[in-house]
Amino acid sequence: MRRRGPGLRLRITLLTTALVAVVSTVLLFLGWTLVGRVFDSSPSFPSDTQVTVDGVIVTVKVLTDALTAAARQDLLRAGLIAFACMVVAAAVLTWTLTGRVLKPLHDVTGAARRLSAESLGSRLRLEGPRDEVAELADTFDAMLDRLEAAFDSQRRFVANASHELRTPLSVVRTELDVTLSDPDADVDELRRMAGVVRSAGERAEQLVSALLLLARTDGIGLAVREPVDLSAVVESAWRAARAEAEARNLRTVFRCVPALAIGDPALLERIAGNLLENAVRHNHVGGWIETVVETGPQWSVLRVSSSGPLIPPDRVEELFEPFRRGVKDRTSQSGTGLGLSIVRAAVAAHGGFAQAVAVPTGGLSVTVHLPAAPR
């Protein structure tokens, strides 16, 4: 293991103490020099002038030198005592104050050591002045928010995948067991069994793809951010749903104007594709679909409305939950039941929001608000 140097608290204390010692030494030297200059600049007498001090006759020069030496000695003695006191006080105060200042850093370190996949809910929520340490704590809390969202997304992915994949896997196992246990199974029976197994495999593949997309967008930031025209996205997504819409004899109306939104082109196309696919699959034969794209100073808006079964207004919000297929039984309709869940997660990843309202005559209208690109 690489050997670490002294801690930040000790280094700050040593540095501050050293600076105080250097400054005190400079001040002591300046005082010692100043005392000599004061005596040198005092009124002078002829050098051979004699004075009597305590009954002793000395010349003025000897007296001046003696006074200067005595003053410097007193200054040096008092200065050394003050120097020692200043150094010790600086070390003690710096050590104490640095400990208080660095306490939030120790809290961050302690929180990081306590972290695990099961304890991501703890936060520092540091109070006090908004300084660099508080900024670090806030950044740490924001990182924990992202980690918790990512872990929650992965947990939901695993739980949903394990729950939903049971059905196609059970179908495959049942078909195989029944067919293999029949000694008289012919080619037609084997073909029928292979068709059922293939359908169950396709169903499982759709589920995994949808769950992976949901995990990618749920609580995780975007990898790409660029201006995207929602009208072009709708046009591209409609190509995949047009054939099914024509087969169901649906009337379509598109009122789309150029509207730039900031985001990931692939995810934006998935948003439009899911809305249009839901509008086609959860519709009556001979029904209608209306798609509107609008632009504004802050939001670019995509709205897809369609006819369909009556939906109680108080149950509209449930449609955004995973594996909800309309208001009927979860296995009564085609699809994975993740369309609107993916839409809401992808829109939230873009910094927007999605809303839905029930059409009074039957059907659903979903409106997506996405951040508009600067003009």
Side-chain angles (χ1 to χ4, degrees), residues 271 275 290 292-294 299-305 316 320 340 343-344 347 352-357 364-370:
I271 291 172
L275 293 178
E290 182 183 64
V292 178
V293 174
E294 302 172 335
W299 302 103
S300 292
V301 180
L302 168 60
R303 182 182 302 107
V304 178
S305 306
V316 170
F320 286 98
L340 290 181
V343 167
R344 172 164 284 184
V347 171
F353 59 95
Q355 297 173 319
V357 294
L364 188 69
S365 177
V366 182
T367 304
V368 169
H369 291 76
L370 295 163

Side-chain angles (χ1 to χ4, degrees), residues 106-126:
H106 291 292
D107 295 338
V108 173
T109 303
R113 289 174 177 170
R114 293 191 302 269
L115 280 182
S116 66
E118 289 73 27
S119 63
L120 289 175
S122 60
R123 298 292 183 272
L124 295 177
R125 293 185 177 88
L126 186 65

Side-chain angles (χ1 to χ4, degrees), residues 38-256:
V38 168
F39 281 94
D40 291 340
S41 62
S42 60
S44 60
F45 298 90
S47 59
D48 56 350
T49 303
Q50 294 181 342
V51 294
T52 301
V53 178
D54 293 335
V56 179
I57 299 175
V58 296
T59 62
V60 172
K61 184 177 184 305
V62 172
L63 177 61
T64 303
D65 293 340
L67 291 176
T68 302
R72 283 179 170 176
Q73 187 176 5
D74 292 341
L75 176 64
L76 188 60
R77 185 184 302 109
L80 289 176
I81 295 174
F83 173 82
C85 293
M86 287 290 294
V87 170
V88 173
V92 173
L93 290 176
T94 305
W95 180 264
T96 303
L97 295 178
T98 305
R100 294 184 179 181
V101 172
L102 295 180
K103 183 179 181 301
L105 294 180
H106 291 292
D107 295 338
V108 173
T109 303
R113 289 174 177 170
R114 293 191 302 269
L115 280 182
S116 66
E118 289 73 27
S119 63
L120 289 175
S122 60
R123 298 292 183 272
L124 295 177
R125 293 185 177 88
L126 186 65
E127 299 179 354
R130 296 291 89 188
D131 53 11
E132 290 78 3
V133 176
E135 184 179 357
L136 174 62
D138 293 342
T139 303
F140 187 79
D141 287 344
M143 181 194 69
L144 291 180
D145 291 337
R146 294 191 296 270
L147 286 175
E148 186 177 18
F151 271 95
D152 289 342
S153 176
Q154 297 303 317
R155 289 193 189 99
R156 286 193 296 271
F157 170 79
V158 173
N160 292 334
S162 60
H163 180 76
E164 287 298 313
L165 286 176
R166 288 175 182 171
T167 300
L169 292 178
S170 297
V171 170
V172 170
R173 181 174 181 177
T174 301
E175 287 293 328
L176 290 174
D177 290 342
V178 170
T179 304
L180 292 176
S181 64
D182 185 4
D184 300 326
D186 54 10
V187 175
D188 292 337
E189 179 66 18
L190 293 176
R191 288 183 179 276
R192 185 201 63 80
M193 181 268 295
V196 173
V197 171
R198 180 179 180 180
S199 298
E202 292 176 349
R203 165 77 175 154
E205 183 180 2
Q206 292 175 359
L207 276 172
V208 172
S209 299
L211 286 168
L212 285 173
L213 181 59
L214 182 60
R216 173 191 171 191
T217 57
D218 192 6
I220 302 177
L222 298 179
V224 178
R225 289 184 181 272
E226 61 184 46
V228 181
D229 187 359
L230 291 184
S231 296
V233 168
V234 169
E235 181 180 357
S236 177
W238 177 244
R239 295 193 190 102
R242 178 183 297 171
E244 188 176 355
E246 292 176 350
R248 297 173 65 87
N249 196 26
L250 299 178
R251 303 186 306 275
T252 57
V253 176
F254 290 88
R255 294 202 299 269
C256 303

